[in-house]
Amino acid sequence: MLDARLAELTRCLPDLRLLTAPGDLEHYGRDWTRRWTPAPLAIALPASIAEAQAIVRWANEHRVAIVPSGGRTGLSGGAVAANGELVLSLERMNRVLDFNAIDRTLSVQAGISLQAVHDAARGHGLLYPVDFAARGSCSIGGNIATNAGGIRVIRYGNTREWIAGLKVVAGNGELLELNRALIKNSSGYDFRQLMIGSEGTLGIVVEATLKLTDPPPPSQVMLLALPDMDALMHVFALFRARLALQAFEFFTDHALKHVLAHGAQRAIDGDYPYYVVTEFDATDERVQEVALAAFEHALEQGWVSDGVIAQSEAQATALWRLRDGITESLAPRRPYKNDVSVRISAVPSFLHEMRALLMREYPHIEVVWFGHIGDGNLHINVLRPDGLAEEDFITQCEHVTKLLAATLQRHGGSISAEHGIGLVKRAYLESTRSAAEIALMHGVRKVFDPNGILNPGKLFVSD
Ligand SMILES: Cc1cc2nc3c(=O)[nH]c(=O)nc-3n(C[C@H](O)[C@H](O)[C@H](O)COP(=O)(O)OP(=O)(O)OC[C@H]3O[C@@H](n4cnc5c(N)ncnc54)[C@H](O)[C@@H]3O)c2cc1C
């Protein structure tokens, strides 16, 4: 028999698609973390803004918590529904609404995938530049809610830079139209920016107007093998000074091992502890000479041990796969993830302290790191060894994360660079934000969501 609250919802919205089958509850109740047991009340799939608003009003009336849900590729438990919440999936609201050639904007419904946005922009001869490996399944709404970064931040910045306007259903059901896609708008508080990165705790993004830009110039892709960690920032400084970088990503030999086991092709013979994939503008043939000269210089300095420059698009794709495929290759192991950032200038000292900490605290546990080193962003993936109970593993990881958070605090960094706080990192928010800031965040939440129905338990330890 249908829960009385759900019966009321279907009475208000007879056309609403509502799922309650156990398989659906499990599917929509979790994200990529796979740590919590999904237990939502039901899944609502509105097809319009009006339906989304009516659901939020119903949730206020019946005090039902709502978990806004995109592609559930999130890595911090933000879209997890484990406590009888209603999952509000934007999956059916996935259309391109408008392209404006003069404004160079694309208006979309929030459930559209990042890949579909890329395709639509390309179809108009333009680029939506935020990009990362989950592009086929993550949604623009989720990207906005987490201020997603990815592999092109070094050139283009985070999602935040690319949002011209938003339509958001606030926690009281009201529809807010934020910034009207204006370039210039000095008329008070910019709630659009407040919504970006708010992890579904202030409002449900239902539509977005995205800025587009010129397609990138032709580029070249290079893979470098490095002898040690100190070389990393030397190579970064060298390449950034001589080339127009589009991406500069690093990974370790452990990451390489997993991605090769997952089907990627080895591109450099031999074993090296660190690798870099970099992509740079190649507007004329001299660029290849400049890149090779930079490589030679790095070789002489002992900063690189080997390298390969892609000679075809297929080879460039194969080199990128070594970096792009890491998260997916680790997924079956359900790693415990840290996603941290410091200023680029603080990377060398932070890396040393962090490495010493990880080696000391995880002596018999495999730790895989990789990341967007050109943005000061590192992903640390801790793999549970066979024979160690999940609960004990998490306890150990939480202990190390506390130490890591203290290290980050000393280096002026953040416990969440781009994945969001969600459930995974809420206990460490205060290592990145002051008590005064957190108090203000709670106050802001009360204004937009007076009854605290939007994604309770996420971002903050207590609502
Ligand atoms: C293989 C892989 C690689 C990845 N690489 C990167 C990377 O390089 N950079 C990066 O930043 N992330 C990366 N991620 C993480 C993830 O893809 C991003 O966090 C992405 O932005 C999440 O989008 P989603 O639609 O899947 O959101 P979900 O997981 O569904 O939700 C994430 C959060 O957003 C909220 N939310 C979702 N939709 C809405 C909405 N419409 N309105 C309000 N709140 C909403 C949810 O409640 C939740 O708090 C990667 C993930 C995978 C699996």
Side-chain angles (χ1 to χ4, degrees), residues 209-359:
T209 300
L210 311 172
K211 300 178 197 171
L212 305 180
T213 188
D214 290 325
S219 61
Q220 284 209 305
V221 178
M222 209 170 182
L223 175 71
L224 303 166
L226 277 57
D228 55 49
M229 203 176 67
D230 286 337
L232 209 51
M233 294 314 278
H234 290 304
V235 176
F236 174 59
L238 174 70
F239 274 64
R240 188 163 68 161
R242 296 197 184 179
L243 297 158
L245 297 183
Q246 293 186 19
F248 192 91
E249 299 278 307
F250 107 105
F251 52 92
T252 61
D253 50 351
H254 283 273
L256 180 68
K257 180 187 78 182
H258 287 280
V259 86
L260 291 177
H262 208 243
Q265 292 297 312
R266 184 180 279 283
I268 290 179
D269 289 330
D271 294 322
Y272 301 96
Y274 299 95
Y275 295 86
V276 163
V277 175
T278 181
E279 184 162 349
F280 42 87
D281 293 356
T283 36
D284 59 56
E285 61 278 4
R286 275 174 312 154
V287 171
Q288 179 145 330
E289 284 167 33
V290 174
L292 290 175
F295 174 72
E296 290 293 335
H297 180 69
L299 209 54
E300 281 161 21
Q301 298 295 319
W303 297 335
V304 299
S305 309
D306 203 349
V308 51
I309 191 159
Q311 298 300 328
S312 65
E313 212 163 293
Q315 203 183 357
T317 305
L319 295 185
W320 260 118
R321 189 171 172 202
L322 296 171
R323 165 62 188 88
D324 237 12
I326 298 172
T327 299
E328 204 170 334
S329 74
L330 298 174
R333 299 286 301 272
R334 294 195 291 124
Y336 182 96
K337 284 177 184 290
N338 296 119
D339 154 43
V340 301
S341 67
V342 292
R343 277 171 292 129
I344 299 170
S345 56
V347 168
S349 58
F350 172 71
L351 274 182
H352 273 282
E353 229 183 286
M354 185 202 79
R355 187 163 157 242
L357 172 75
L358 298 180
M359 285 172 74

Side-chain angles (χ1 to χ4, degrees), residues 403-425:
L403 301 174
L404 184 64
T407 310
L408 280 162
Q409 205 164 12
R410 276 198 303 283
H411 288 268
S414 172
I415 193 70
S416 174
E418 59 175 8
H419 295 162
I421 296 288
L423 287 172
V424 172
K425 291 166 243 166

Side-chain angles (χ1 to χ4, degrees), residues 31-32 67-75 78-79 90 110 131-134 137-143 145-151 199-200 203-206 323-324 327-328 372 379 418-419 455:
D31 67 1
W32 266 57
V67 177
S69 181
R72 291 173 308 286
T73 63
L75 300 172
L90 278 296
D131 191 22
F132 48 93
S137 29
C138 69
S139 69
I140 280 293
N143 295 175
T146 55
N147 186 26
I151 56 180
E199 301 189 35
I204 299 167
V205 177
V206 286
R323 165 62 188 88
D324 237 12
T327 299
E328 204 170 334
H372 319 288
H379 296 310
E418 59 175 8
H419 295 162
N455 230 359

